[in-house]
């Protein structure tokens, strides 16, 4: 297929998907760290995840790269200071309830955490208004990734690209509510994908 485009939303398992496609010699273009712009000559695969789990994973991955391993400690202005201030998502949520703009400036603003601003809504808010179902080749969900890869590409997944399992993925019930409110546009996008028939009941659940 010469017209396949993968919309790789960060921290949704996209690296695993892309590695499997490369290993199986499936040609594709990648849309990553930018808004998806609908093109009628393309077929699309979108890689998504539960918004709160994606948010927690993104924070933990940035904390690892910037603060622990220091591989990217100076990639974005002041990102290290923000991550070190909060250290985990629970602490971040304490301030997020008061100020929903504490980290979502532009990458050069000094008020930015990579992958957190670039959420599901960032990628798909305009795309979903224009793309018809017939152009959706498939949806890959992190939670059903192996089954989805088999259904969409007939690939048995054997690779896993990244792992930040040593970091805490649990948050308090109160902070869960804060994040669900903060990420409401992500949930709206996913609900629209379900209404449009892009995702099935298991993926939606």
């Amino acid at each position: 297929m010469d017209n396949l485009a993968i919309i790789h939303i960060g921290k949704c398992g996209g690296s695993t998907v892309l590695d499997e496609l490369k290993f199986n010699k499936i040609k594709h273009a990648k849309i990553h760290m930018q808004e998806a712009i609908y093109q009628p000559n393309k077929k699309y695969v979108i890689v998504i995840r539960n918004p709160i789990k994606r948010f927690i994973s993104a924070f933990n991955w940035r904390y690892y790269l910037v603060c622990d391993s220091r591989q990217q400690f100076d990639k974005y202005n002041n990102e290290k200071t923000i991550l070190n201030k909060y250290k985990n998502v629970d602490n971040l949520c304490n301030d997020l309830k008061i100020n929903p703009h504490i980290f979502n400036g532009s990458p050069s603003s000094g008020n930015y955490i990579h992958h957190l601003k670039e959420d599901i809504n960032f990628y798909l808010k305009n795309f979903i208004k224009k793309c018809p179902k017939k152009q959706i080749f498939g949806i890959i969900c992190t939670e059903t990734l192996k089954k989805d890869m088999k259904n969409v590409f007939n690939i048995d997944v054997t690779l896993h690209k990244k792992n930040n399992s040593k970091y805490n993925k649990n948050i308090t019930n109160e902070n869960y509510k804060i994040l669900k409110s903060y990420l409401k546009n992500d949930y709206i996008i996913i609900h629209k994908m379900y209404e449009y028939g892009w995702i099935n009941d298991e993926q939606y659940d």
Side-chain angles (χ1 to χ4, degrees):
M1 183 182 297
D2 294 328
N3 62 342
L4 180 66
I6 311 298
I7 301 178
H8 172 196
I9 298 169
K11 301 312 298 171
C12 294
S15 295
T16 299
V17 172
L18 294 169
D19 282 353
E20 289 285 358
L21 296 184
K22 183 178 179 180
F23 182 77
N24 286 275
K25 297 181 171 57
I26 296 175
K27 293 177 64 176
H28 62 276
K30 178 178 73 169
I31 300 167
H32 184 55
M33 293 309 300
Q34 64 189 66
E35 180 183 342
I37 306 298
Y38 170 65
Q39 298 180 54
N41 63 327
K42 298 285 188 184
K43 292 286 189 178
Y44 293 95
V45 169
I46 305 172
V47 188
I48 62 169
R49 186 178 192 175
N50 171 280
I52 291 176
K53 289 182 179 178
R54 194 206 74 84
F55 185 99
I56 294 170
S57 179
F59 182 95
N60 288 342
W61 184 240
R62 291 312 295 165
Y63 193 87
Y64 166 73
L65 288 177
V66 175
C67 301
D68 276 359
S69 72
R70 294 177 57 83
Q71 294 175 46
Q72 297 184 11
F73 76 96
D74 59 351
K75 184 170 183 178
Y76 298 105
N77 178 34
N78 205 47
E79 185 186 27
K80 180 167 70 71
T81 301
I82 298 172
L83 289 165
N84 271 325
K85 176 182 177 180
Y86 293 107
K87 299 190 183 302
N88 59 58
V89 172
D90 268 328
N91 292 336
L92 179 68
C93 286
N94 291 334
D95 282 357
L96 191 62
K97 184 177 181 179
I98 302 167
N99 177 12
H101 306 293
I102 56 177
F103 64 82
N104 63 357
S106 68
S108 61
S109 68
N111 181 39
Y112 173 79
I113 298 177
H114 188 46
H115 282 315
L116 292 193
K117 181 178 181 179
E118 295 84 12
D119 54 17
I120 295 168
N121 183 63
F122 167 85
Y123 284 87
L124 300 180
K125 60 184 175 183
N126 292 315
F127 177 87
I128 199 166
K129 299 173 186 176
K130 299 178 180 179
C131 183
K133 181 183 177 183
K134 66 181 181 179
Q135 299 304 116
I136 300 298
F137 190 73
I139 306 293
I140 309 293
C141 298
T142 308
E143 293 79 7
T144 52
L145 189 144
K146 288 188 176 182
K147 181 180 289 188
D148 295 342
M149 286 292 286
K150 184 67 174 178
N151 290 339
V152 176
F153 293 111
N154 197 29
I155 290 175
D156 293 308
V157 172
T158 58
L159 307 171
H160 183 67
K161 183 73 173 178
K162 297 174 182 175
N163 186 359
N164 56 345
S165 58
K166 76 172 187 174
Y167 296 97
N168 186 18
K169 298 179 181 179
N170 298 313
I171 58 174
T172 67
N173 290 336
E174 175 64 20
N175 287 336
Y176 182 92
K177 294 175 184 176
I178 291 170
L179 279 184
K180 190 154 191 182
S181 176
Y182 178 78
L183 297 168
K184 63 182 179 182
N185 289 329
D186 281 10
Y187 283 97
I188 289 171
I189 292 288
I190 291 172
H191 184 67
K192 287 181 179 177
M193 294 172 77
Y194 180 66
E195 285 186 325
Y196 297 166
W198 294 10
I199 59 177
N200 60 37
D201 289 346
E202 182 180 6
Q203 292 171 317
Y204 186 62
D205 288 341

